[in-house]
Amino acid sequence: MIKLLFSALIALVLTNSGIALEESVFELNRQEMVKTQLETRGITDAKVLKAMRKVKRHLFVPTHQFISAYNDSPLPIGYGQTISQPYIVAYMTQAARLFPDDRVLEIGTGSGYQAAVLAELVKEVYTIEILKPLADTARVRLEELGYRNIKVKHGDGYKGWKEYAPYDAIIVTAAPDEVPEELVRQLKVGGRMVVPIGSFFQELYLITKRESGIKQELLLPVVFVPMIHSSD
Ligand code: SAH
């Protein structure tokens, strides 16, 4: 009996230190990612860098992708979708020029990673995902991680989320062919939208809403999955 208890105790200690070891490796990889992939490429906003240092990207990818979680690339998350490259997440977040009291809408929840990064920086995050299994998984994951300022909805991003509009910023993480009008409508005057536009070749734009219309600035060429139209 005592022997059994003893080995159970040893097993417990070993497992725990195994987990701790793994976590510290991820921690190192994450700090390295911020240094080599973000700081050297023009991500200068201290708050964005802090959020990217904090959010554990490995918890947003399938377990068999753990080892690649801090690579300089997008990764598959199932259903033909991907979690964006860390640099692109940081770049879009910085481009949106967020303020702590902002209410932000994200289109394309995917894994929930971009939503978590946003939630570190602003008061309220609303995110819409068209594929139900991804929306459900992200909702549970974000709840388990303790994010109380993110609401996930299963629905069509082209329709936006009227209930909480207008938004200070909108981040679109799937590519429509043109700027979705309803999303412009749900943006505050003075609000910013970061959106990849195009079907084959895509370009990332920063759109600022003004009283008189929109101002559209080209940021950089990108590759995103298409923003799909729902059947209804
Ligand atoms: N932001 C995500 C990655 C997005 S990948 C992350 O951090 O992991 C793009 C996502 O947009 C996919 O999950 C895709 O299913 C979703 N999507 C595509 N068209 C959409 C639409 N019309 N409305 C909402 N989500 C959409």
Side-chain angles (χ1 to χ4, degrees), residues 7 51 71 96 115 140 146 164 166 182 193 198 210-211:
S7 41
N71 288 2
V140 171
Y164 300 102
E182 182 56 30
M193 177 171 4
R210 295 178 161 169
E211 294 280 6

Side-chain angles (χ1 to χ4, degrees), residues 55-109:
V55 181
K56 298 178 174 176
R57 192 168 189 262
H58 65 279
L59 300 182
F60 292 82
V61 300
T63 39
H64 66 276
Q65 296 283 0
F66 263 24
I67 196 85
S68 315
Y70 297 100
N71 288 2
D72 190 15
S73 62
L75 290 174
I77 52 170
Y79 306 93
Q81 305 305 323
T82 54
I83 176 173
S84 310
Q85 178 191 8
Y87 171 67
I88 291 293
V89 173
Y91 186 95
M92 291 175 87
T93 310
Q94 177 168 278
R97 296 190 211 118
L98 303 170
F99 295 93
D101 276 338
D102 280 357
R103 185 186 310 145
V104 178
L105 176 67
E106 181 201 19
I107 308 299
T109 314

Side-chain angles (χ1 to χ4, degrees), residues 107-122:
I107 308 299
T109 314
S111 67
Y113 177 67
Q114 170 80 74
V117 170
L118 292 169
E120 295 289 340
L121 297 166
V122 301

